[in-house]
DNA sequence: TGTGAAACTGACATCGC
DNA sequence: GCGATGTCAGTTTCACA
């Protein structure tokens, strides 16, 4: 895949909001024919620009109203620890994101839980599977913004 | 909408991964007819359990390889400040998430940027629009896990 | 189960570089 | 010519009643 042009970006902007937009409507918005849109989409899927089409759920309505961020300090500063940590967190479905931060010793985890007891279960499970240097948790009181949409045009 | 049963959860589990699964295939996985699946999906969309169907993009491939978390302390502890802060951050498309954390003075922002210069632009824009008490940024070195999928069955 | 509306597939003419 | 597009079949698959 070459670089994305403005038409590609228009298509992506729409698909990021509504993945189920019919090609006809998409073509109208973008200013291209059905077919041209379709070809571009396929190319971007093949290139991995479009990773997946997914359904987003309301976390509260499926029983996971609480979001928690955990700040973690590694117990050991080596590749083995990281591998074990990565494997453990990837296997835990309540964990939405795991990020190694600048500093090389700090990790950030974002997870969704039902309540405090559920969080404690998550915490206990995690420290049982991987030795932790230090763990602190902050809970989300209010989700002011939450989006999966990436900006594709210069501000 | 009443409570979700196991069949609903099975449907959602699949749709969270592949929103474009045909109803036939979905029915087979779940053990239901096309039609029954379709009715349940419509009901869950109407109830807001399914918020949207979206395309997920590869952030690096659209020119936003850098993820940053900003920790922010409010300049003022009042509703006006929060309203202004919320409005400003919601209007900035590079910002993916904004969370008011426990403590009532701390906010967490997650944003995607092209590079450090881009981050600085974001930072400058933000502090120009809203008075900030304190801002610190941590950059993501490695995305160990990132998922929009919520767990729907007990671990 | 059936019907209409989509998504797909390929062929071919066209326009700009 | 080459690359991208538009149009116009055709077929298949799906959403929906």
């Amino acid at each position: 895949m070459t670089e994305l042009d403005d038409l590609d970006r228009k298509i992506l902007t729409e698909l990021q909001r509504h993945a189920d937009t019919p090609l006809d409507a998409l073509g109208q918005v973008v200013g291209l024919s059905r077919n041209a849109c379709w070809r571009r989409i396929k190319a971007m899927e093949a290139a991995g620009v479009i990773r997946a089409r997914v359904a987003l759920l309301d976390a509260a309505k499926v029983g996971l109203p609480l979001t928690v961020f955990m700040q973690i300090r590694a117990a050991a500063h080596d590749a083995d620890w990281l591998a074990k940590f990565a494997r453990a967190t990837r296997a835990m479905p309540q964990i939405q994101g795991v990020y190694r931060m600048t500093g090389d010793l700090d990790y950030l985890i974002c997870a969704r839980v039902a309540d405090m007891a559920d969080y404690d279960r998550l915490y206990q499970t995690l420290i049982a599977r991987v030795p932790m240097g230090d763990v602190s948790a902050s809970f989300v009181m209010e989700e002011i913004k939450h989006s999966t949409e990436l900006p594709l045009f210069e501000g």
Side-chain angles (χ1 to χ4, degrees), chain A residues 2-136:
Chain A
T2 66
E3 268 309 291
L4 302 172
D5 63 14
D6 275 10
L7 292 170
D8 287 325
R9 275 189 268 266
K10 276 190 189 175
I11 292 171
L12 292 176
T13 298
E14 179 60 27
L15 290 183
Q16 279 194 104
R17 278 185 257 248
H18 307 290
D20 48 2
T21 306
L23 281 174
D24 280 314
L26 193 56
Q28 293 225 336
V29 171
V30 175
L32 235 54
S33 77
R34 255 182 306 283
N35 229 321
C37 278
W38 181 81
R39 274 192 292 259
R40 282 167 180 268
I41 292 168
K42 286 296 150 191
M44 292 190 285
E45 282 173 349
V49 175
I50 297 173
R51 273 171 37 222
R53 289 153 190 261
V54 305
L56 299 182
L57 310 185
D58 185 309
K61 286 181 177 155
V62 297
L64 298 165
L66 197 55
T67 305
V68 58
F69 284 92
M70 301 169 73
Q71 221 156 354
I72 288 174
R73 198 164 286 276
H77 189 154
D78 59 58
D80 266 9
W81 186 89
L82 175 54
K84 189 185 275 190
F85 176 69
R87 206 169 340 106
T89 51
R90 287 201 191 105
M92 297 170 72
Q94 292 186 312
I95 294 178
Q96 303 267 290
V98 181
Y99 310 94
R100 180 161 64 80
M101 309 302 293
T102 39
D104 216 36
L105 269 170
D106 285 316
Y107 296 82
L108 186 66
I109 288 180
C110 175
R112 301 273 191 172
V113 294
D115 48 37
M116 279 292 175
D118 196 26
Y119 164 71
D120 193 50
R121 226 170 296 132
L122 180 76
Y123 168 79
Q124 298 290 349
T125 305
L126 191 59
I127 62 169
R129 292 184 187 177
V130 191
M132 296 290 178
D134 204 29
V135 182
S136 72

Side-chain angles (χ1 to χ4, degrees), chain A residues 128-145:
Chain A
R129 292 184 187 177
V130 191
M132 296 290 178
D134 204 29
V135 182
S136 72
S138 307
F139 293 88
V140 172
M141 290 289 101
E142 183 187 358
E143 207 169 279
I144 298 167
K145 176 176 185 172

